[in-house]
Amino acid sequence: MGKLSTHVLDTAQGKPGAGVKLELYAVEGGQRSLVKQELTNSDGRCNTPLLEGEQLKAGQYELVFAAGDYFAAQGVALPSPRFIDRVTIAFGVADPGQNYHVPLVVTPWSYSTYRGS
């Protein structure tokens, strides 16, 4: 059975994004339902998979990261309103038997993601 995991990398400061609040939503028929809330650890990861085994189902999901709050807590000078604040990554799980790793590479001015395993 597969699992869903994430990792936050703060490339502005060259370190893991520790203490980033995130929310995982399942999306069905245009409706979002909160599945889980987490806080990244000192390595920028969650201590356990977000979903694994039978919890991981085929479908649409969204990960929402509180990146602006993270950078503000780091003492980074940010404009008001923040350019990057809440980062939402919408993605699909086609085969729940596989591993889906959805990392966030972020600065106060940009972000990217990719599918890892």
Side-chain angles (χ1 to χ4, degrees), residues 79-104:
S80 182
R82 299 168 180 165
F83 183 71
I84 300 292
D85 193 22
R86 291 175 55 85
V87 176
T88 301
I89 300 172
F91 63 97
V93 170
D95 181 356
Q98 295 184 14
N99 292 337
Y100 287 79
H101 183 67
V102 184
L104 174 66

Side-chain angles (χ1 to χ4, degrees), residues 28-99:
E28 188 172 343
Q31 299 294 323
R32 293 187 340 162
S33 58
L34 182 65
V35 174
K36 196 169 203 177
Q37 293 179 305
E38 288 284 336
L39 193 65
T40 58
N41 62 23
S42 62
D43 193 37
R45 301 175 186 272
C46 297
N47 291 326
T48 60
L50 295 170
L51 297 173
E52 64 182 325
E54 292 183 9
Q55 295 175 320
L56 182 61
K57 300 184 183 333
Q60 297 291 316
Y61 294 88
E62 290 182 3
L63 271 170
V64 182
F65 299 86
D69 291 346
Y70 162 78
F71 284 114
Q74 296 292 305
V76 176
L78 301 171
S80 182
R82 299 168 180 165
F83 183 71
I84 300 292
D85 193 22
R86 291 175 55 85
V87 176
T88 301
I89 300 172
F91 63 97
V93 170
D95 181 356
Q98 295 184 14
N99 292 337

Side-chain angles (χ1 to χ4, degrees), residues 6-28:
T6 191
H7 188 189
V8 179
L9 299 167
D10 173 351
T11 55
Q13 300 181 82
K15 63 182 188 176
V20 177
K21 295 176 188 174
L22 63 94
E23 300 164 339
L24 173 65
Y25 293 90
V27 181
E28 188 172 343

